[in-house]
Amino acid sequence: MSFRQWPVALFVAAFSIAAYGADHLQEIRQRGVLLWGADAEGGAPYVYPDPEKPDRLIGFECELAEALAGKLGVKARMVQNQWDQLIPALERGDFDVILNGLEITPQNRQRVAMSRPYYVYAQQIVTRKESHGMTSMDELKGKSVGVLSGSAASRLDGLRVCDLRTYPGNVQSFQDLKAHRIEAVVLDLPIALYYAKPDTELKFSGAAFAPGYYGIGIRKEDTTLLAALNQAIQELAEDRTLERIYIKCGLWDERQASLKEYKAEQIAESKRISTLREWPKYLPMLLRAAAITVGLSIIAMALAIVAGLVIVLLRLYSVAPLRWLARAYVEVVRGTPLLIQLFLLYYGLPQIGIKLNAFLAGILGLGLNYAASEAENYRAGIQSIPSGQSEAALALGMTRWQTTRHIILPQAVRVVIPPVTNDFIAMFKDSSIVSVISMVELTKMYGILALSTYDFLGLGLMTAAIYFGLSYPASIFAHWLEKRLRYVK
Amino acid sequence: MITVENLIKSYNSLRVLDGVCHAQERGEAVVIIGPSGCGKSTFLRCLNQLETPDSGRITINGTTVAAGSGAGNEEEQLRRGLRLSAGMVFQSFNLFPHLTALENVTQAPIVVKGESRSQAETRALQLLAKVGLESKAAAYPAQLSGGQQQRVAIARALAMQPLVMLFDEPTSALDPELRDEVLQVMRQLAEEGMTMIVVTHEMQFARDMADRVLFFEGGRILEAGTPDQIFLNPQQERTKEFLRKVAVR
Ligand SMILES: Nc1ncnc2c1ncn2[C@@H]1O[C@H](COP(=O)(O)OP(=O)(O)OP(=O)(O)O)[C@@H](O)[C@H]1O
Ligand SMILES: [Mg+2]
């Protein structure tokens, strides 16, 4: 369940140094407490606040942690930590182990020692009740499919031929599924069991597939702690404590029986892919995603430029109520985060019957947000024109509007070209935020590919090159325009 | 042709115009002199409605605007009418920097009067020739000297064919050696019979060209008369004092 797993965090963590030397099993026993790191935010059914008593944490990993601590002869205490920062926090020594749906993958193994698995997860396709087909990856080809950002599902090779949408949380993907914005959701089975199973509008489509293991993450040098935990998991599997916990939480299936016979070699060792060498396979995917970034940025910026002009004209030259409205718009938009605005447009508006698709919501969100900045740019530009200019125009008999249109705006345009260009280039990069409303643009595609190939460097270079290749011409164009519009050539 | 009745204008508590009355014939050239801050600019700016007076009436060629007559559409039309009959030349030129000299002159006739471009350009070129700048038609203001810019500004105002030209210290921002070329153009205009009101510190110009000189002081016309009356035989103590100061300077 590696949602909220950001490439950047992994990158940083990859270079951070494990500073711990001593074996911590001794220390844990002396302390009498096993500190386990996890993220309870949106963490059902792993570890999450009890809906009835929100100050109490529940979930199968809570029970597991207690059982494990019991085997070590100590108590368990959960330490809250953002999910994508768990490994750096472990390395920093904030807690003793990570127990939070950490997948046993070659990549995680490079950074931390992984215990033997305590749970076998798999992928599940979820569709609307009335949908037909879509029971396997093959049948999802070309369909719009939602996955959790950074999840194991988002790394499935088969999904690359789908119209892939990524979500920051579980609730949003099912909401979009029910709203017919997407056709299916693919996700870790435990999450599906918790969120989708009880939902009468949804159904499991086909059997679970692509199994994998959750294990406990431990600092590499804590070898005796690793041995003790492996021993404890083995015992919990054999004395059927695991089975009891999973049945109680509704997470038991026949796969879990294999936990007893697990051999470490079952997980293939890290195979590194050089995406640079295999660029013909990856570059087109990045470029397709870049096309979305470009399309989105250009249309949104065009909207911002025009809407900003309307706003500033209303603000500076119109009658009282409209003037206040324009001013309020600028203040409100600038005073609230873009993220919230996008959430409102995409997830909020459907509640009052307005269903925008992700691209349209992205354009509106970015465009209307930047419109406020452009309006401010224009206002600064207009007010930088000396008052003698409008006096001269008025003295020649021009009306207010003619003065604005023929004298003020043409001069203000030249003043605002540099800040507007800067905003345009910023928008290129800001546009990656639309990934929160499920769009897969360039940065998101980089994240998806990097997490499935582990080649952060090669893909990172390609992605950076594409961004640069897009924004550099924009700034060249701006320079050229600035020069061309200078009064004296 | 111009009648100003009891014009009053205050900024906050400061009374800048304190009951100015003035009447002027067609073709008459009037020069206004007076110490700094006495309200000369404000008077000109009221005449073409860049400022709204608090009370009083202004009539130019039969169009009357009474202060405090409201902001309705009809009054707005009257104000624009007044503005259209008065051309204004500013101390700081205020040419439009994004337009060439020619475009500076043609812009208002095209935009305001709806003249065709070719018609406007033909006349603009004649006006630029009149101020001695037909060779600079394609130049931008930044490429012109101050004197040249002010002459373009005069041509620009003339292009709207105003009944009266208002000059607010047109040479004050210029180096002394550039002043003559502007004064020369103004002289020529006066000789052609243009109705003019000129605020200036150029006493020689006032003596040569003015039909009448007004001495402003404290927001009023303290003394008025022919150049000879004002310069050779001033009646008021303040006038004498002012003339002594400018003579020394
Ligand atoms: N917009 C304004 N707000 C407040 N006070 C103003 C404003 N414009 C002018 N004044 C004041 O009104 C008075 C008269 O100003 P005005 O510009 O008419 O004087 P002037 O006779 O043209 O002086 P100068 O020879 O220096 O140009 C001055 O004291 C000035 O400070
Ligand atoms: Mg003045």
Side-chain angles (χ1 to χ4, degrees):
Chain A
M1 66 139 205
S2 35
F3 52 89
R4 284 175 262 144
Q5 185 164 358
W6 287 98
V8 178
L10 292 171
F11 229 139
V12 170
F15 291 108
S16 67
I17 300 153
Y20 270 71
D23 191 317
H24 286 85
L25 182 55
Q26 199 89 37
E27 196 190 311
I28 293 167
R29 290 222 159 99
Q30 269 164 15
R31 199 198 294 142
V33 175
L34 173 71
L35 299 174
W36 57 288
D39 188 357
E41 191 194 332
Y46 299 76
V47 43
Y48 57 104
D50 187 342
E52 260 126 58
K53 275 169 70 187
D55 55 343
R56 205 176 73 113
L57 291 175
I58 55 174
F60 77 90
E61 285 178 341
C62 271
E63 308 206 7
L64 184 59
E66 266 152 41
L68 283 169
K71 290 282 178 195
L72 299 183
V74 295
K75 294 219 165 334
R77 190 187 307 145
M78 190 271 218
V79 177
Q80 168 64 35
N81 199 95
Q82 198 179 312
W83 200 87
D84 55 17
Q85 296 295 325
L86 280 171
I87 291 180
L90 176 73
E91 286 167 342
R92 210 164 48 230
D94 290 357
F95 36 76
D96 303 311
V97 297
I98 300 170
L99 177 55
N100 203 198
L102 195 64
E103 294 124 338
I104 305 182
T105 59
Q107 191 216 5
N108 281 337
R109 275 192 164 170
Q110 281 175 0
R111 313 252 318 276
V112 294
M114 296 294 305
S115 73
R116 58 178 297 141
Y118 60 82
Y119 190 82
V120 186
Y121 70 90
Q123 299 304 313
Q124 178 63 53
I125 300 170
V126 175
T127 61
R128 288 185 294 276
K129 188 121 259 164
E130 75 280 5
S131 295
H132 297 290
M134 297 189 284
T135 56
S136 70
M137 291 291 280
D138 286 342
E139 292 173 10
L140 288 179
K141 207 168 182 173
K143 297 268 191 332
S144 54
V145 178
V147 296
L148 278 174
S149 176
S151 67
S154 76
R155 298 196 296 270
L156 290 170
D157 271 336
L159 284 182
R160 299 214 197 129
V161 288
C162 301
D163 173 12
L164 191 63
R165 307 294 182 81
T166 62
Y167 291 87
N170 299 301
V171 181
Q172 292 97 328
S173 61
F174 292 124
Q175 195 178 312
D176 271 13
L177 181 57
K178 288 190 241 174
H180 294 248
R181 276 168 162 168
I182 52 176
E183 292 306 310
V185 174
V186 180
L187 75 172
D188 285 14
L189 187 54
I191 309 176
L193 285 169
Y194 183 82
Y195 283 101
K197 195 86 188 193
D199 196 322
T200 52
E201 291 177 56
L202 304 176
K203 71 172 180 202
F204 282 20
S205 183
F209 59 99
Y213 297 102
Y214 294 144
I216 300 173
I218 305 156
R219 282 183 291 267
K220 280 197 168 161
E221 68 276 14
D222 283 347
T223 46
T224 53
L225 178 59
L226 174 65
L229 285 173
N230 276 340
Q231 168 91 38
I233 293 170
Q234 172 111 44
E235 285 172 26
L236 291 176
E238 275 164 7
D239 68 15
R240 312 189 70 171
T241 307
L242 289 184
E243 189 176 335
R244 250 198 329 278
I245 294 174
Y246 296 151
I247 288 173
K248 179 180 158 200
C249 299
L251 295 170
W252 176 262
D253 55 39
E254 67 283 0
R255 281 188 198 84
Q256 310 308 331
S258 71
L259 285 172
K260 275 180 254 182
E261 288 89 43
Y262 171 81
K263 298 273 177 303
E265 308 77 60
Q266 276 175 255
I267 307 282
E269 264 319 304
S270 166
K271 68 167 174 11
R272 288 199 87 100
I273 299 171
S274 168
T275 55
L276 282 181
R277 215 167 294 145
E278 292 180 43
W279 65 268
K281 198 165 136 199
Y282 295 97
L283 196 58
M285 298 182 67
L286 289 173
L287 288 175
R288 264 201 302 279
I292 293 185
T293 294
V294 171
L296 187 71
S297 309
I298 289 180
I299 300 176
M301 198 65 197
L303 173 64
I305 285 173
V306 174
L309 187 62
V310 173
I311 292 166
V312 82
L313 290 178
L314 286 180
R315 180 158 178 191
L316 293 181
Y317 302 112
S318 77
V319 292
L322 287 174
R323 200 164 64 222
W324 299 332
L325 219 62
R327 165 124 198 237
Y329 178 86
V330 170
E331 297 299 337
V332 168
V333 167
R334 280 159 54 95
T336 50
L338 177 54
L339 192 66
I340 304 294
Q341 295 163 9
L342 284 172
F343 275 143
L344 277 175
L345 279 174
Y346 189 66
Y347 298 116
L349 285 187
Q351 288 180 13
I352 55 167
I354 304 170
K355 238 184 261 173
L356 303 172
N357 68 39
F359 193 69
L360 200 58
I363 286 171
L364 279 180
L366 282 170
L368 294 179
N369 182 280
Y370 271 67
S373 309
E374 297 331 302
E376 287 297 274
N377 281 340
Y378 299 155
R379 193 164 68 94
I382 286 171
Q383 288 176 346
S384 77
I385 308 300
S387 60
Q389 289 292 309
S390 54
E391 288 185 353
L394 292 173
L396 285 168
M398 292 192 201
T399 60
R400 278 243 145 245
W401 168 242
Q402 287 167 343
T403 302
T404 305
R405 156 88 182 71
H406 294 283
I407 304 303
I408 305 302
L409 290 184
Q411 294 185 55
V413 162
R414 294 156 164 89
V415 179
V416 303
I417 282 175
V420 169
T421 317
N422 283 343
D423 277 359
F424 184 44
I425 291 169
M427 160 111 59
F428 256 135
K429 295 176 276 180
D430 268 9
S431 65
S432 65
I433 200 176
V434 297
S435 63
V436 302
I437 55 168
S438 85
M439 285 190 66
V440 178
E441 43 62 66
L442 186 50
T443 296
K444 191 78 221 176
M445 183 55 86
Y446 162 73
I448 291 171
L449 292 179
L451 283 172
S452 62
T453 61
Y454 310 138
D455 186 9
F456 290 91
L457 185 62
L459 286 164
L461 289 174
M462 280 194 256
T463 306
I466 294 174
Y467 268 119
F468 183 72
L470 294 174
S471 60
Y472 190 58
S475 68
I476 299 255
F477 175 72
H479 277 297
W480 173 82
L481 199 63
E482 234 178 289
K483 234 194 228 139
R484 248 209 64 151
L485 290 179
R486 225 165 261 164
Y487 310 139
V488 183
K489 274 145 229 171
Chain B
M1 185 185 68
I2 302 175
T3 317
V4 177
E5 295 160 74
N6 204 25
L7 207 57
I8 293 177
K9 168 80 185 171
S10 304
Y11 292 114
N12 306 320
S13 60
L14 180 71
R15 185 162 279 209
V16 180
L17 293 182
D18 191 14
V20 177
C21 297
H22 173 66
Q24 184 169 350
E25 294 303 316
R26 187 182 295 273
E28 202 180 358
V30 168
V31 167
I32 298 177
I33 58 173
S36 181
C38 66
K40 306 182 295 289
S41 297
T42 308
F43 177 62
L44 287 196
R45 292 164 60 82
C46 284
L47 283 185
N48 78 345
Q49 299 294 310
L50 283 178
E51 303 285 352
T52 337
D54 301 334
S55 73
R57 290 153 57 91
I58 299 169
T59 307
I60 299 181
N61 198 36
T63 306
T64 300
V65 172
S69 60
N73 233 345
E74 212 166 305
E75 289 81 1
E76 206 48 53
Q77 277 317 108
L78 281 179
R79 288 203 182 93
R80 270 197 74 216
L82 215 57
R83 202 172 262 166
L84 277 168
S85 50
M88 180 113 172
V89 175
F90 300 85
Q91 182 174 341
S92 52
F93 328 140
N94 295 348
L95 285 188
F96 306 132
H98 62 298
L99 301 177
T100 62
L102 184 72
E103 289 163 345
N104 262 279
V105 181
T106 56
Q107 182 76 287
I110 292 172
V111 169
V112 179
K113 289 191 171 166
E115 284 183 19
S116 73
R117 180 167 296 279
S118 62
Q119 187 188 354
E121 280 181 358
T122 311
R123 215 152 38 77
L125 284 170
Q126 285 166 7
L127 287 168
L128 286 174
K130 184 184 175 103
V131 299
L133 286 174
E134 70 263 62
S135 63
K136 295 288 185 186
Y140 283 85
Q143 295 167 311
L144 299 174
S145 74
Q148 291 170 332
Q149 288 190 51
Q150 194 61 300
R151 285 188 278 154
V152 173
I154 294 171
R156 177 176 71 173
L158 289 174
M160 290 302 285
Q161 295 168 312
L163 297 169
V164 51
M165 285 285 284
L166 311 175
F167 293 85
D168 190 1
E169 303 195 34
T171 56
S172 292
L174 295 175
D175 293 338
E177 67 270 22
L178 295 177
R179 288 180 183 164
D180 266 344
E181 62 190 56
V182 174
L183 293 175
Q184 193 52 46
V185 169
M186 292 167 65
R187 261 194 199 96
Q188 191 190 335
L189 275 180
E191 275 157 17
E192 286 169 6
M194 173 58 86
T195 313
M196 297 163 60
I197 302 180
V198 183
V199 173
T200 186
H201 292 293
E202 302 281 344
M203 295 304 151
Q204 192 57 48
F205 174 83
R207 282 171 102 147
D208 295 352
M209 294 314 309
D211 296 315
R212 194 146 45 106
V213 177
L214 311 181
F215 177 69
F216 258 63
E217 164 73 37
R220 296 165 169 274
I221 300 174
L222 199 65
E223 194 170 352
T226 63
D228 281 354
Q229 284 171 343
I230 296 292
F231 289 109
L232 301 178
N233 190 20
Q235 300 300 305
Q236 300 285 336
E237 214 33 61
R238 294 287 296 120
T239 318
K240 291 178 193 165
E241 192 186 325
F242 173 77
L243 288 172
R244 258 201 311 280
K245 271 193 198 145
V246 291
V248 169
R249 206 163 29 122

